[in-house]
Amino acid sequence: MSATLHTATATATAACGAPRDEPLPVLGRDVTVPLVTGGETGYAALDYAASAPALQRVWDDVAAYAPYYGSVHRGAGYLSQLSTDLFEQSRAAVAAFLDCRPTDQVVFTRSTTDSLNLLAAALPAGCRVFVFETEHHASLLPWGDEQVTYLNAPRTPAEAVATLERALADRDRHGPALVCVTGASNVTGELWPVRELAAAAHAHGARIVLDAAQLAPHHPVSVRDLDVDWVAFSGHKLYAPFGSGVLAGRADWLREARPYLAGGGASRTVARREDGGVDVEWHTTAARHEAGSPNVIGAYAIASACRALTEAGFDALVARERRLVARIREGLAAVPEVRVLSLFGDDAPRVGVISFVVEGWNSSHFAAALSAEYGIGVRDGLFCAHPLVRTLLGSAPQEPGACDAPEARQPGERSLNAIRVSFGAGTPDEHVERFLRAVRELVTDGAKWQYRTEAGRCVPAV
Ligand SMILES: Cc1ncc(COP(=O)(O)O)c(C=O)c1O
């Protein structure tokens, strides 16, 4: 049986055909939030790097599918067969989106973190892992202490490649090795030289996994073109917040590994042995690592997002986002008290993720004022990339305080945390302009309200 639901739904909703240089329709665009100073304003979601709003198209596709939802892989009923078909079609849609090789496997996981932990659990014995200290904790932490080599933060893309080459040249070439690298930084938004790093890895007999959590929502990712061995990304950052993620790439290490989760769905047959134990024949397909009932809606939502972004056209999306990035960087550069964090310098290509500090301000206080007084949602902190943010801030490992003493950051004193503004395909120009106006007004006039610390967060005093 072949399911045709997607085609029917996509035609019916066709919400992604946005004109060029217009945001794609996302949920929440009409939501208003209260301001401490009185009244309400439309919510400006500028925290896409954490979680992006759902594309309207994804929501519509999921709503159209929901009545047809059924158990996958084992049900005999019509809806079970339809759901199974859609689940497997979703895998194919992700493979097409990532331009995978025909022999690659697409495993549905819960998130990027889950995908990288899955891969870490599937590494062959003796595998060495190389990872830059600048990575998100999801890429930094899944590996065993005894197998991982942390590489120092490079200050240019060329230095990144040279650092990796040196580290790989020093290792014993006979054992397996894996390099884990981000495509776009969740702190600076800067693009990493993935193709060059992949070439360096392969030249030294290593494999490479791309953490595309921040790249895939902003930029086309081609497994073939970048020549990476695996790619990991999360649905909730790709406008599909239904609890699914992806690990796609080479089948061999995954096929040979013990299943990530043991249970039904991963096993083909199970039989009692005479000695009282059980013999298990595990699947050798992606199902090997998808034990338990899979998140069919999550997978379907990711596939819908992949189609929507492809149909909208990445050229137009990238061009529009570049314009917004340039506008925010230019607006922030005009405020002398603002320092934008960067590893690779002003000219580095980047996606819509920008972190900064404001002279004399505690970042938590600044972010709280953006929310309470302007209805703007950004993020403050160390963004699950503590070593990188501390390197960029030049600060020692120390807990940033909340806003007990917002004035405590004296001119010249180092900030302990940063503010991150991030945006994407659904961001209207008005959000960007409101953000820049808010930054200027807060720096010039100060906050209009009193703030205090509650449960470690900076919140309006009343
Ligand atoms: C670069 C990067 N990698 C991995 C992750 C982890 O993603 P998730 O929380 O969806 O597992 C994030 C999340 O912010 C990220 O920015």
Side-chain angles (χ1 to χ4, degrees):
M1 177 190 146
S2 176
T4 52
L5 185 69
H6 160 69
T7 325
T9 312
T11 316
T13 57
C16 74
R20 294 177 79 80
D21 209 37
E22 286 292 319
L24 296 186
V26 289
L27 295 193
R29 56 192 187 277
D30 300 324
V31 167
T32 57
V33 291
L35 299 176
V36 277
T37 44
E40 296 197 333
T41 188
Y43 185 64
L46 292 177
D47 195 13
Y48 275 49
S51 282
L55 277 176
Q56 183 70 52
R57 157 79 176 274
V58 170
W59 190 257
D60 292 346
D61 277 352
V62 166
Y65 164 53
Y68 301 94
Y69 170 74
S71 63
V72 298
H73 289 155
R74 41 193 94 103
Y78 187 90
L79 296 194
S80 290
Q81 292 176 51
L82 179 88
S83 289
T84 303
D85 215 23
L86 290 178
F87 186 56
E88 294 307 323
Q89 281 182 26
S90 300
R91 231 188 266 290
V94 170
F97 179 71
L98 295 175
D99 189 23
C100 285
R101 297 159 291 245
T103 51
D104 285 339
Q105 275 184 354
V106 173
V107 183
F108 283 114
T109 64
R110 289 177 300 179
S111 61
T112 309
T113 305
D114 201 30
S115 299
L116 293 172
N117 276 273
L118 189 172
L119 187 61
L123 297 183
C127 189
R128 299 285 323 158
V129 178
F130 296 83
V131 51
F132 286 93
E133 64 177 9
T134 45
E135 293 288 334
H136 187 281
H137 296 171
S139 297
L140 207 58
L141 302 181
W143 328 106
D145 270 354
E146 67 300 337
Q147 67 181 165
V148 64
T149 303
Y150 292 114
L151 307 174
N152 290 339
R155 296 314 294 226
T156 63
E159 195 186 323
V161 179
T163 302
L164 179 66
E165 279 187 325
R166 263 196 313 277
L168 290 173
D170 281 352
R171 84 183 173 99
D172 168 11
R173 275 194 66 105
H174 298 299
L178 178 76
V179 177
C180 178
V181 71
T182 188
S185 165
N186 71 309
V187 176
T188 65
E190 290 162 340
L191 299 184
W192 277 64
V194 177
R195 195 178 291 109
E196 292 77 1
L197 291 167
H202 292 150
H204 288 86
R207 293 189 175 192
I208 186 166
V209 55
L210 171 63
D211 171 352
Q214 299 297 345
L215 186 64
H218 302 274
H219 213 274
V221 173
S222 165
V223 166
R224 270 190 264 224
D225 184 35
L226 295 172
D227 196 18
V228 290
D229 298 282
W230 292 275
V231 175
F233 72 86
S234 304
H236 71 104
K237 297 184 197 290
L238 193 92
Y239 313 104
F242 289 86
S244 269
V246 165
L247 177 69
R250 305 251 178 233
D252 51 357
W253 286 6
L254 299 179
R255 201 170 44 224
E256 283 146 29
R258 187 179 157 72
Y260 183 44
L261 289 174
S267 48
R268 200 196 303 268
T269 61
V270 180
R272 283 303 296 273
R273 277 196 314 259
E274 296 218 333
D275 67 5
V278 287
D279 276 330
V280 186
E281 190 193 342
W282 301 104
H283 281 293
T284 53
T285 57
R288 184 182 188 86
H289 297 292
E290 292 175 346
S293 301
N295 179 354
V296 184
I297 297 241
Y300 186 66
I302 286 189
S304 164
C306 290
R307 292 188 190 101
L309 292 176
T310 305
E311 286 165 24
F314 261 113
D315 284 353
L317 295 175
V318 169
R320 178 163 193 281
E321 191 175 305
R322 279 210 188 118
R323 181 172 67 68
L324 298 183
V325 168
R327 174 71 190 119
I328 292 200
R329 284 176 58 79
E330 165 200 273
L332 291 178
V335 184
E337 290 81 356
V338 169
R339 178 165 73 90
V340 171
L341 305 184
S342 166
L343 196 57
F344 294 157
D346 283 348
D347 297 334
R350 38 174 51 84
V351 299
V353 179
I354 297 170
S355 297
F356 62 99
V357 289
V358 185
E359 185 82 41
W361 281 80
N362 176 316
S363 294
S364 305
H365 183 206
F366 201 86
L370 285 174
S371 168
E373 299 178 27
Y374 296 90
I376 297 171
V378 296
R379 178 159 291 231
D380 62 277
L382 301 173
F383 318 127
C384 291
H386 293 188
L388 171 59
V389 180
R390 289 197 182 112
T391 298
L392 297 175
L393 294 176
S395 61
Q398 173 181 358
E399 269 305 296
C403 61
D404 283 334
E407 291 73 30
R409 306 248 68 77
Q410 300 301 327
E413 195 184 344
R414 294 203 158 133
S415 299
L416 297 177
N417 56 356
I419 305 151
R420 181 180 74 188
V421 56
S422 56
F423 42 95
T427 306
D429 285 49
E430 188 274 322
H431 290 181
V432 166
E433 295 308 323
R434 192 186 336 159
F435 167 75
L436 290 174
R437 176 171 60 81
V439 170
R440 284 192 302 269
E441 286 180 7
L442 286 172
V443 168
T444 312
D445 308 331
K448 299 184 192 70
W449 208 256
Q450 292 291 314
Y451 294 82
R452 66 183 168 85
T453 304
E454 193 177 285
R457 299 281 320 150
C458 191
V459 294
V462 177

